[in-house]
Amino acid sequence: MSAASIAFLAWVRGPGFHIALGLFCLGLVWRLIEIYALGRDRPLAPLRRRSGASGWWTILRRSRPSAEHESMVSYLAGYTFHIGLIVTFFFFTPHIELLRRAVGLSWPSLPTALVDGLAVVTLLALGVMLASRLLDPVKRFLSVAEDYVAWGLTLAPVLTGYLCFHHLLLPYTTMLALHLASVEVLMVLMPFTKLIHFVTLFPSRWMNGEHFGRTGVAA
Amino acid sequence: MEKVTVYAAMRAGGMSRRAFLQACGAIAASLALPPGSGRAIARALERTPRPSVIWLSFQECTGCTESLTRAHAPTVESLLFDMVSLDYHHTLQAAAGGAAEEARREAMAANHGRYLLIADGSLPVGHPAYSTIGGVSNLAMLQEAAAGAAAVIAMGSCAAFGGLPGATPNPTGAAPVSEVVRDRPLVTIPGCPPIPAVIVATLAHYLTFGRLPALDPLGRPKAFYGETIHDRCYRRPFYDRGLFADTFDDEGARKGWCLYKLGCKGPTTYNACATTKWNGGTSFPIQSGHGCLGCSQPDFWDGGGFYRADALPFGPLTPTATIAAAAGVAVGGAVAAANRRKRAKARAAHRPITVDDLEKGQEETP
Amino acid sequence: MSASLERGLDRFRESLDADTAGFFATCVRCGMCAEACLFYTETEEPRYTPIHKLQPLKRLWWREYTLVGRIAAALGLSKPVTGGELADWSELVYDSCTLCGRCSLVCPVGNDITYMIRRMRDGMAAAGYAPPGLVGATRRAIELGSPMGVQLATLQAQIRHQEEATGLPIPMDREGADYLVLLSSMEIVNTPEMLGALARIFDRAGVSWTLASDAFEATNSGIQIGVAELAREIVMRTVTAAERLGVKGVVSPECGHAYMALRWEGPDLIGRPYRFEVLHILELLDRLRGEGRLKVDSTFNLPITFHDPCQVVRRGGVTEAPRNLLKMVATDVREMEEHGVYNWCCGGGGGVSAIGRAEELRLKAFGKKRGQIEATGAKTVATACANCRVVMEEAIDHYQIGVELVGLTELIADHLETEESHHG
């Protein structure tokens, strides 16, 4: 541990966090307005079902795996790392404390050993996702640099968080600073990459379900 | 200068041979030295003359000295004053005024190149006039004393990192010893106050081996500052199980659960409190029901509050988020307006397509 | 930039809405839509991945409708959409997409890819990159009234034959009838028995119906190729006839996209709601069945399976009617493993059957349906779309598979309760 790493930690906890939070809020609000202010037309044909309600159901229903058995790797690893990210972010005590400070809400945490184990599983699942992106012909074909950047942005907080918790590789203070810094970089870039799907996923599913719902199909 | 060995001084102070050997063993253990090192220390202390120590106090509260002098005899920490020939310490010495300063100069001249310099308190580097002794600025006094010192010990967090005087807004321009002393072996023993046993063990190591113990990049003896309080805390199992005290008088507090949520800085604080403990091994802050303040870490005063959970961002978040979101509305609104204009323009340019038009592009494509 | 390209790009710009922008922003390039597309599963060529088919439209959105994209474009960091690029995409947007909507159903983030392909086709057609086969069909639909060039005289000849075969009148331009029944060219040319089947069913069920001499064609090439004004012109023919005849309802025939065009998109195309109801023929038959007006006195007893036409079932919501009807008339119904809204397309929907250059690909894509049919063990496949039927019949001939295709309406007509059996 060096004085530089302590200064770095102080920076990422102070000005760095505020800058990241600010850019995150700025970017997210801007992007959401940019996307959704384009508006949508209402269909004139008589609907078979209340399509808006159908959209809400689709938000839930799309969380179930579809009938495509060929995508099992994507499904399993995809579910695993998303659940892992959600649980480790929302149910680890220090994170809950952060959220309590930020939004004033708090809830019980999960046992640290459980969160810890899940972090390992999440890292493994992210590894599988990368392998799949590199090896699967379709994913490799579709992939652009942004996909690998987004993968790294997602992995970094989990990895540094894990190393930090176990005091591995680097002194705790340095690793904690890196952990916070990785989260801050993620926050800044999230609205401007495909990672914005953490929000737009819900309107997209709703719109899809609303389209299908007009004809009465539960999508 | 008399050549009394450390051992002789200790015996004169009323210590038995047995207690002396036990103390040497304890020092060896605390430094994590190999088995048998206790005897090596004992032999060294039997032979080695007590070194001359000049103790300079700058911008400090005397807490470091208090910590040492309040140590219970006959404990390891009480050995300090037997181990050394304390030739200058303006709080403890009998002499005062010009006589005291004269004694310091004499000791420094007599032991030039051999004496140990201990400094506690930070230096008002920004405004040297804020702290002077006998008309000499702290800065000048440290520079003069360090020039003839064999090694320098920065005692306590103020000397090590600037401490309270260096906290924001740091009106005196306080700086740690390390910013002034750059060409002498320097060990920092941070803490507010530092653990007496650490000082003793560090001195014993110096006397035994003639060099300072292994130090980390912040100049702290690794044997004592190698792990965090959290690593060695007896309440750690509660942290791992997710059991926390939410207030100082709830069930969790009474049951002795983890104090993380109450602001305990154990996870980021490197010190030996959880193992060495205080007051002759009686207790340490967490054991007494209060979280660690992180007093041995740099800038711990500015760490965002003693009762705010570790690693959390500083400062109020809501204004930042609100201002940024408002800016987002402005940017997004501007883009949305531009987008709508663009689409309206395309719609205005809309001309009905005929069947003939459907074949045109292919003809034009190279 | 050519005028036609600019016209095409302007169509992209016109159609960009929150839905499309949101879908593009949300895509994580997981590639799962590929597994939902029979053009990928049967060829394993990654370029047939549905979301990839939208690449030019996505880039236009990013370059022109996002601030970051605009800045990047201004700095020359991204390329504008070119005519050559659209030419390259023509095969992806038309030949290898039947608008079946399966990708939209499986996308984990909820992107309605088919919805965007429709917008993509709007711009492609306006820029002049629609395939010649589909352009020809559209020209015939606009100029002759039918994509296959079927004229009224042809229909009248088929009507005469069917009237003779059934001994029942087939009404034309009868004002005040309850239902205006539409046909598809495919039916008129390839399966005229459908007319006779309708005549018998409506006679037994006591349904008042008519054909219209100026609006007998239900198909809508304008929708398939992606030109709203042409689609509107075609829909308007039906609307005009229906309102002139004063019918309560218009019945869309056994044709997939005709139903989608008329039932779900027509009102938006003409800019106002209809004054009549639109039903798929199976919806009407199921309604009659429910009212006890449609009965059979014999059953089809060999194993039979049902091919769900995408635009009728997945995109049209007519899921239960075909099953109710089939259960009424057949005793050994074997559903395909993935059926109903999860069915696999025949490979020729969305205008693909009209694209000559796509024939080889279409036959290859049929592999999915072939496997599904063979897995059921049934030798008879019922369906409710003349286009699906012709596409599958051609493929079955090509691969020499011993499978019979039958229209569900005809199957019911063949087992209809007769006057004699009713009274006897």
Side-chain angles (χ1 to χ4, degrees):
Chain A
M1 194 180 64
S2 67
S5 82
I6 288 166
F8 181 38
L9 177 61
W11 190 83
V12 293
R13 287 179 66 190
F17 191 87
H18 282 265
I19 291 168
L21 178 71
L23 289 176
F24 174 75
C25 293
L26 168 86
L28 193 62
V29 170
W30 145 19
R31 289 283 286 141
L32 292 179
I33 293 175
E34 181 179 89
I35 291 164
Y36 295 111
L38 283 166
R40 58 203 311 262
D41 296 327
R42 283 168 184 277
L44 292 170
L47 306 180
R48 192 173 273 145
R49 191 189 272 189
R50 280 171 55 211
S51 56
S54 199
W56 290 107
W57 279 112
T58 299
I59 291 179
L60 291 177
R61 219 178 272 118
R62 277 302 157 94
S63 294
R64 290 187 321 206
S66 79
E68 303 312 314
H69 308 298
E70 291 83 354
S71 309
M72 274 326 272
V73 172
S74 293
Y75 267 119
L76 283 178
Y79 268 97
T80 307
F81 93 78
H82 276 103
I83 292 169
L85 288 177
I86 291 166
V87 173
T88 50
F89 179 66
F90 285 104
F91 293 96
F92 183 53
T93 305
H95 301 164
I96 295 174
E97 283 303 293
L98 169 68
L99 292 167
R100 190 167 64 110
R101 279 238 321 118
V103 293
L105 296 173
S106 72
W107 46 86
S109 57
L110 286 173
T112 310
L114 183 72
V115 176
D116 185 36
L118 208 53
V120 177
V121 173
T122 306
L123 289 169
L124 292 175
L126 279 166
V128 172
M129 291 305 282
L130 179 66
S132 147
R133 190 163 282 289
L134 290 167
L135 299 175
D136 180 85
V138 170
K139 278 198 204 172
R140 197 176 55 220
F141 175 79
L142 294 178
S143 296
V144 294
E146 185 199 325
D147 293 305
Y148 299 100
V149 171
W151 181 85
L153 288 175
T154 311
L155 179 89
V158 190
L159 184 64
T160 53
Y162 180 81
L163 294 175
C164 175
F165 179 76
H166 289 281
H167 292 209
L168 297 171
L169 213 63
L170 293 171
Y172 177 82
T173 316
T174 314
M175 198 52 95
L176 178 62
L178 284 176
H179 177 59
L180 291 170
S182 69
V183 172
E184 285 162 17
V185 174
L186 175 68
M187 283 165 74
V188 172
L189 291 177
M190 233 172 168
F192 300 101
T193 59
K194 68 174 186 178
L195 298 176
I196 198 176
H197 79 264
F198 86 101
V199 176
T200 60
L201 163 83
F202 300 102
S204 284
R205 283 182 180 180
W206 184 87
M207 286 167 172
N208 182 309
E210 196 274 329
H211 291 168
F212 272 104
R214 295 172 187 176
T215 68
V217 171
Chain B
M1 190 73 31
E2 53 182 333
K3 294 292 178 189
V4 178
T5 66
V6 176
Y7 175 64
M10 284 175 174
R11 291 304 300 266
M15 182 179 254
S16 67
R17 170 80 186 164
R18 183 183 181 83
F20 170 70
L21 290 176
Q22 278 176 345
C24 290
I27 289 167
S30 71
L31 283 164
L33 296 171
S37 303
R39 293 217 160 268
I41 291 174
R43 276 197 300 277
L45 297 186
E46 280 164 5
R47 283 197 307 271
T48 314
R50 292 193 308 165
S52 168
V53 166
I54 307 293
W55 184 310
L56 300 177
S57 298
F58 303 126
Q59 296 190 119
E60 49 87 50
C61 67
T62 318
C64 298
T65 301
E66 286 288 332
S67 170
L68 282 167
T69 55
R70 298 295 166 105
H72 290 211
T75 58
V76 172
E77 43 267 52
S78 70
L79 297 180
L80 176 69
F81 299 111
D82 298 327
M83 271 181 174
V84 299
S85 167
L86 192 57
D87 294 331
Y88 178 85
H89 186 307
H90 67 197
T91 305
L92 299 178
Q93 68 197 136
E101 294 308 303
E102 191 52 39
R104 175 173 64 82
R105 290 203 180 85
E106 272 177 26
M108 280 164 54
N111 299 290
H112 192 83
R114 295 192 308 276
Y115 62 83
L116 278 174
L117 176 64
I118 297 178
D120 68 340
S122 63
L123 296 119
V125 168
H127 305 276
Y130 274 127
S131 182
T132 61
I133 297 166
V136 179
S137 75
N138 289 170
L139 190 58
M141 189 180 286
L142 177 61
Q143 282 164 336
E144 182 198 355
V152 181
I153 297 174
M155 182 71 69
S157 291
C158 298
F161 306 125
L164 179 59
T168 307
N170 190 3
T172 66
V177 168
S178 59
E179 285 194 16
V180 178
V181 176
R182 294 180 189 279
D183 56 355
R184 285 286 175 275
L186 175 70
V187 57
T188 58
I189 304 183
C192 189
I195 302 174
V198 175
I199 305 162
V200 173
T202 305
L203 277 172
H205 189 283
Y206 180 75
L207 295 176
T208 305
F209 302 106
R211 56 183 161 78
L212 296 171
L215 304 176
D216 74 4
L218 288 178
R220 307 178 295 192
K222 277 185 182 169
F224 298 97
Y225 296 91
E227 287 178 294
T228 64
I229 305 287
H230 188 62
D231 286 333
R232 292 294 182 167
C233 181
Y234 76 104
R235 297 197 189 202
R236 176 66 181 266
F238 296 113
Y239 176 88
D240 289 341
R241 277 156 59 198
L243 299 174
F244 298 90
D246 286 311
T247 65
F248 283 109
D249 60 353
D250 69 356
E251 196 198 354
R254 280 190 289 277
K255 286 185 171 171
W257 290 352
C258 178
L259 299 166
Y260 178 86
K261 287 188 180 179
L262 291 168
C264 179
K265 301 297 183 294
T268 42
T269 303
Y270 289 79
N271 208 337
C273 302
T275 42
T276 306
K277 301 196 181 175
W278 291 77
N279 300 326
T282 306
S283 182
F284 74 113
I286 293 170
Q287 197 171 346
S288 313
H290 192 286
C292 166
L293 301 181
C295 76
S296 59
Q297 287 299 105
D299 302 327
F300 82 103
W301 293 100
D302 295 325
F306 294 156
Y307 300 98
R308 173 176 300 173
D310 205 5
L312 293 191
F314 312 151
L317 300 177
T318 313
T320 305
T322 309
I323 293 165
V329 170
V331 177
V335 181
N339 283 351
R340 283 175 169 275
R341 272 198 305 277
K342 188 172 203 62
R343 191 170 58 183
K345 202 178 135 209
R347 285 182 180 173
H350 185 105
R351 297 286 174 271
I353 289 172
T354 63
V355 178
D356 293 330
D357 293 328
L358 296 177
E359 286 161 358
K360 279 183 182 160
Q362 284 155 348
E363 289 156 12
E364 290 169 16
T365 305
Chain C
M1 184 181 295
S2 74
S4 58
L5 175 61
E6 191 53 34
R7 192 174 55 212
L9 298 183
D10 264 343
R11 294 279 162 128
F12 285 162
R13 293 181 188 113
E14 278 181 62
S15 69
L16 262 164
D17 57 2
D19 301 58
T20 305
F23 294 150
F24 281 146
T26 310
C27 178
V28 294
R29 290 177 287 275
C30 70
M32 285 190 201
C33 49
E35 299 294 347
C37 177
L38 74 174
F39 289 95
Y40 170 75
T41 62
E42 300 315 296
T43 63
E44 300 205 332
E45 288 192 37
R47 66 198 172 97
Y48 291 137
T49 304
I51 196 71
H52 175 65
K53 297 169 185 172
L54 296 161
Q55 207 51 45
L57 180 59
K58 181 173 186 176
R59 207 164 78 252
L60 180 125
W61 161 73
W62 189 73
R63 282 172 56 85
E64 302 192 8
Y65 285 87
T66 72
L67 181 55
V68 173
R70 278 170 182 243
I71 293 168
L75 296 174
L77 297 175
S78 75
K79 285 187 224 122
V81 177
T82 64
E85 188 177 1
L86 293 187
D88 288 344
W89 251 261
S90 178
E91 187 226 359
L92 301 180
V93 179
Y94 288 102
D95 305 25
S96 66
C97 178
T98 59
L99 306 177
C100 85
R102 209 164 180 283
C103 50
S104 298
L105 201 59
V106 305
C107 174
V109 295
N111 290 351
D112 191 344
I113 299 169
T114 317
Y115 175 88
M116 296 191 282
I117 294 269
R118 292 286 305 282
R119 266 122 203 94
M120 185 74 189
R121 283 193 179 185
D122 290 348
M124 294 282 286
Y129 295 104
L134 206 45
V135 172
T138 308
R139 179 180 290 282
R140 288 188 293 277
I142 294 296
E143 293 174 357
L144 304 174
S146 146
M148 293 173 73
V150 175
Q151 308 267 19
L152 182 60
T154 317
L155 174 62
Q156 283 166 332
Q158 299 286 29
I159 289 174
R160 273 197 305 281
H161 290 147
Q162 292 300 317
E163 282 180 332
E164 281 165 23
T166 59
L168 294 168
I170 295 177
M172 178 71 88
D173 293 326
R174 200 177 80 189
E175 277 186 43
D178 284 346
Y179 293 104
L180 167 62
V181 175
L182 306 180
L183 300 166
S184 74
S185 301
M186 293 265 195
E187 288 175 318
I188 299 167
V189 176
N190 298 330
T191 57
E193 309 79 36
M194 182 61 79
L195 262 176
L198 289 171
R200 284 185 291 160
I201 291 170
F202 290 152
D203 176 62
R204 283 300 304 152
V207 172
S208 145
W209 68 298
T210 184
L211 298 176
S213 57
D214 53 348
F216 56 85
E217 175 65 77
T219 61
N220 193 323
S221 300
I223 288 276
Q224 292 177 327
I225 200 166
V227 183
E229 39 271 59
L230 300 182
R232 177 187 309 122
E233 186 179 332
I234 295 168
V235 164
M236 212 49 214
R237 292 172 186 163
T238 301
V239 174
T240 308
E243 290 177 356
R244 170 172 56 79
L245 296 171
V247 296
K248 287 190 291 189
V250 172
V251 178
S252 177
E254 287 200 353
C255 174
H257 84 271
Y259 177 65
M260 177 261 279
L262 199 61
R263 168 69 176 90
W264 300 111
E265 304 204 356
D268 296 326
L269 288 168
I270 66 169
R272 65 170 170 87
Y274 297 147
R275 297 183 198 118
F276 49 86
E277 148 188 59
V278 175
L279 290 166
H280 187 266
I281 179 68
L282 294 188
E283 284 181 284
L284 178 58
L285 296 186
D286 194 41
R287 188 183 287 180
L288 296 173
R289 183 196 60 81
E291 291 168 358
R293 294 161 70 184
L294 183 66
K295 287 182 182 149
V296 292
D297 62 2
S298 62
T299 49
F300 184 87
N301 298 323
L302 294 172
I304 189 169
T305 186
F306 183 71
H307 163 73
D308 292 277
C310 307
Q311 302 303 330
V312 176
V313 180
R314 179 165 40 245
R315 300 299 272 185
V318 185
T319 314
E320 291 310 310
R323 287 169 170 83
N324 295 339
L325 294 166
L326 198 59
K327 269 183 231 154
M328 177 177 76
V329 73
T331 52
D332 189 3
V333 180
R334 301 183 179 182
E335 288 280 17
M336 297 180 204
E337 195 199 339
E338 290 165 293
H339 60 270
V341 296
Y342 281 100
N343 80 306
W344 286 93
C345 178
C346 65
V352 171
S353 62
I355 305 172
R357 69 183 189 201
E359 191 182 346
E360 197 188 325
L361 184 61
R362 189 172 72 229
L363 285 168
K364 205 166 183 184
F366 179 73
K368 198 75 191 181
K369 198 80 233 176
R370 177 183 177 177
Q372 276 202 298
I373 294 170
E374 288 177 343
T376 66
K379 296 290 176 199
T380 310
V381 179
T383 190
C385 169
N387 186 59
C388 295
R389 188 168 160 183
V390 170
V391 166
M392 289 195 285
E393 274 171 349
E394 279 176 16
I396 283 164
D397 281 352
H398 179 83
Y399 291 114
Q400 303 275 306
I401 315 161
V403 172
E404 283 288 328
L405 263 298
V406 59
L408 186 50
T409 306
E410 271 177 83
L411 185 68
I412 289 165
D414 288 346
H415 295 273
L416 204 59
E417 187 185 67
T418 61
E419 195 86 23
E420 300 80 57
S421 65
H422 181 66
H423 293 293

